[in-house]
Coordinates of all heavy atoms in Angstrom, one line a residue:
K207 N -11.9 -6.5 -10.9 CA -10.5 -6.4 -10.3 C -10.6 -5.7 -9.0 O -11.1 -4.5 -9.0 CB -9.6 -5.6 -11.3 CG -9.4 -6.4 -12.6 CD -8.3 -5.9 -13.5 CE -8.1 -6.8 -14.7 NZ -7.0 -6.4 -15.5
S209 N -8.6 -4.9 -4.9 CA -7.6 -5.1 -4.1 C -8.1 -5.1 -2.5 O -9.2 -4.5 -2.3 CB -6.6 -3.9 -4.1 OG -7.1 -2.7 -3.8
T221 N -11.4 -3.1 1.3 CA -11.5 -3.7 -0.1 C -11.8 -2.5 -1.0 O -12.7 -1.9 -0.8 CB -12.7 -4.8 -0.1 OG1 -12.4 -5.8 0.9 CG2 -12.8 -5.3 -1.5
E222 N -11.1 -2.4 -2.1 CA -11.3 -1.4 -3.1 C -11.5 -2.0 -4.4 O -10.8 -2.9 -4.9 CB -10.1 -0.5 -3.0 CG -10.2 0.7 -4.1 CD -8.9 1.6 -4.0 OE1 -8.6 2.0 -3.0 OE2 -8.3 1.7 -5.1
R223 N -12.6 -1.5 -5.1 CA -12.8 -1.9 -6.5 C -13.2 -0.7 -7.3 O -13.8 0.3 -6.8 CB -14.0 -2.9 -6.5 CG -15.4 -2.4 -6.4 CD -16.4 -3.5 -6.4 NE -16.4 -4.4 -5.4 CZ -16.7 -5.7 -5.5 NH1 -17.2 -6.1 -6.5 NH2 -16.6 -6.5 -4.5
Q224 N -12.7 -0.7 -8.5 CA -12.9 0.3 -9.4 C -14.3 0.2 -10.0 O -14.8 -0.9 -10.3 CB -11.8 0.3 -10.7 CG -11.8 1.5 -11.5 CD -10.8 1.6 -12.5 OE1 -9.8 0.7 -12.4 NE2 -10.8 2.4 -13.4
I225 N -15.1 1.4 -10.0 CA -16.4 1.3 -10.6 C -16.5 2.4 -11.6 O -15.7 3.3 -11.9 CB -17.5 1.7 -9.4 CG1 -17.2 3.0 -8.8 CG2 -17.3 0.6 -8.4 CD1 -18.2 3.6 -7.9
K226 N -17.6 2.3 -12.4 CA -17.8 3.2 -13.5 C -18.4 4.4 -12.9 O -19.1 4.4 -11.9 CB -18.8 2.7 -14.5 CG -18.2 1.5 -15.3 CD -19.3 0.9 -16.2 CE -18.6 -0.3 -16.9 NZ -19.6 -0.9 -17.9
T227 N -18.2 5.6 -13.5 CA -18.6 6.9 -13.0 C -20.2 6.9 -12.9 O -20.7 7.4 -11.8 CB -18.3 8.0 -13.9 OG1 -16.8 8.0 -14.1 CG2 -18.7 9.4 -13.4
L230 N -21.5 5.8 -9.4 CA -21.4 6.6 -8.2 C -22.7 7.0 -7.7 O -23.6 7.3 -8.4 CB -20.5 7.9 -8.4 CG -19.0 7.7 -8.8 CD1 -18.4 8.9 -9.3 CD2 -18.4 7.4 -7.3
P231 N -22.9 7.1 -6.4 CA -24.1 7.6 -5.7 C -24.4 9.0 -6.3 O -23.4 9.7 -6.5 CB -23.9 7.5 -4.3 CG -22.8 6.7 -4.1 CD -21.9 6.7 -5.3
V234 N -22.9 11.8 -4.5 CA -21.4 12.0 -4.7 C -21.2 12.8 -6.0 O -20.5 13.9 -6.1 CB -20.7 10.7 -4.8 CG1 -19.2 10.8 -5.2 CG2 -20.8 10.0 -3.4
I247 N -13.9 13.4 -14.6 CA -13.7 12.3 -13.6 C -13.0 11.2 -14.5 O -13.5 10.7 -15.6 CB -15.0 11.7 -13.2 CG1 -15.8 12.7 -12.4 CG2 -14.7 10.4 -12.3 CD1 -17.1 12.4 -11.9
E249 N -11.3 8.5 -12.9 CA -11.5 7.2 -12.2 C -12.3 7.3 -10.9 O -12.3 8.4 -10.4 CB -10.1 6.7 -11.8 CG -10.1 5.3 -11.3 CD -8.7 4.7 -11.0 OE1 -7.8 4.8 -11.9 OE2 -8.5 4.2 -9.9
A250 N -13.0 6.3 -10.6 CA -13.8 6.2 -9.5 C -13.7 4.9 -8.8 O -13.5 3.8 -9.5 CB -15.3 6.4 -9.9
D251 N -13.5 4.9 -7.5 CA -13.4 3.7 -6.7 C -14.4 3.6 -5.6 O -14.8 4.6 -5.0 CB -12.1 3.6 -6.0 CG -10.9 3.5 -7.1 OD1 -11.0 2.6 -8.1 OD2 -9.9 4.1 -7.0
K252 N -14.9 2.5 -5.2 CA -15.7 2.2 -4.1 C -14.9 1.4 -3.0 O -14.3 0.3 -3.3 CB -16.9 1.4 -4.4 CG -17.9 1.2 -3.3 CD -19.1 0.3 -3.7 CE -20.0 0.1 -2.6 NZ -21.2 -0.7 -2.9
T253 N -14.6 2.0 -1.9 CA -13.8 1.5 -0.9 C -14.6 1.1 0.4 O -15.3 2.0 1.0 CB -12.5 2.2 -0.6 OG1 -11.8 2.5 -1.7 CG2 -11.7 1.6 0.5
E254 N -14.6 -0.1 0.7 CA -15.3 -0.6 2.0 C -14.3 -0.8 3.0 O -13.3 -1.5 2.8 CB -15.9 -1.9 1.7 CG -16.8 -2.4 2.9 CD -17.4 -3.8 2.8 OE1 -17.5 -4.3 1.5 OE2 -17.9 -4.5 3.7
I260 N -18.2 2.7 3.9 CA -18.0 2.7 2.4 C -17.6 4.2 2.1 O -18.3 5.1 2.5 CB -19.3 2.3 1.7 CG1 -19.5 0.8 1.9 CG2 -19.1 2.6 0.3 CD1 -20.8 0.3 1.3
I261 N -16.6 4.3 1.3 CA -16.1 5.5 0.8 C -16.0 5.6 -0.7 O -15.5 4.5 -1.3 CB -14.7 5.8 1.5 CG1 -14.8 5.9 2.9 CG2 -14.0 7.0 0.8 CD1 -13.4 6.0 3.6
Y262 N -16.3 6.6 -1.3 CA -16.1 6.7 -2.8 C -15.0 7.6 -3.1 O -15.0 8.8 -2.6 CB -17.4 7.1 -3.4 CG -18.6 6.2 -3.3 CD1 -19.4 6.1 -2.1 CD2 -18.7 5.1 -4.3 CE1 -20.4 5.2 -2.1 CE2 -19.7 4.2 -4.1 CZ -20.5 4.2 -3.0 OH -21.4 3.3 -2.9
E263 N -14.1 7.2 -3.9 CA -12.9 8.0 -4.3 C -13.2 8.5 -5.8 O -13.5 7.6 -6.5 CB -11.6 7.3 -4.0 CG -11.5 7.1 -2.5 CD -10.2 6.1 -2.2 OE1 -10.4 4.9 -2.5 OE2 -9.2 6.7 -1.7
V264 N -12.8 9.7 -6.0 CA -12.8 10.2 -7.4 C -11.6 10.9 -7.7 O -11.1 11.7 -7.0 CB -14.2 11.0 -7.5 CG1 -14.3 11.7 -9.0 CG2 -15.4 10.5 -7.0
D265 N -11.0 10.4 -8.9 CA -9.9 11.1 -9.4 C -10.3 12.0 -10.6 O -11.0 11.6 -11.5 CB -8.8 10.2 -9.9 CG -8.3 9.3 -8.8 OD1 -8.2 9.8 -7.7 OD2 -7.7 8.1 -9.1
S274 N -7.6 14.3 -6.3 CA -8.3 13.1 -5.7 C -9.2 13.6 -4.6 O -8.8 14.3 -3.7 CB -7.3 12.2 -5.1 OG -6.7 11.5 -6.2
L275 N -10.4 13.0 -4.7 CA -11.5 13.5 -3.6 C -12.0 12.2 -3.0 O -12.1 11.1 -3.7 CB -12.6 14.3 -4.3 CG -12.2 15.5 -5.2 CD1 -13.5 16.0 -5.9 CD2 -11.5 16.5 -4.3
A276 N -12.5 12.3 -1.9 CA -13.3 11.2 -1.2 C -14.5 11.6 -0.6 O -14.5 12.7 0.0 CB -12.3 10.5 -0.2
F277 N -15.5 10.8 -0.7 CA -16.9 11.2 -0.1 C -17.5 9.9 0.5 O -17.2 8.8 0.2 CB -17.7 11.6 -1.3 CG -17.2 12.8 -2.2 CD1 -16.5 12.5 -3.1 CD2 -17.7 14.1 -1.8 CE1 -16.0 13.7 -3.9 CE2 -17.3 15.2 -2.4 CZ -16.5 14.9 -3.6

Side-chain angles (χ1 to χ4, degrees):
K207 290 188 178 189
S209 67
T221 302
E222 181 178 303
R223 74 178 68 210
Q224 191 171 350
I225 61 172
K226 294 179 181 179
T227 302
L230 285 167
V234 172
I247 298 175
E249 187 175 309
D251 296 312
K252 178 181 180 180
T253 303
E254 182 182 351
I260 295 175
I261 296 170
Y262 292 89
E263 297 174 286
V264 179
D265 292 336
S274 286
L275 310 173
F277 299 89

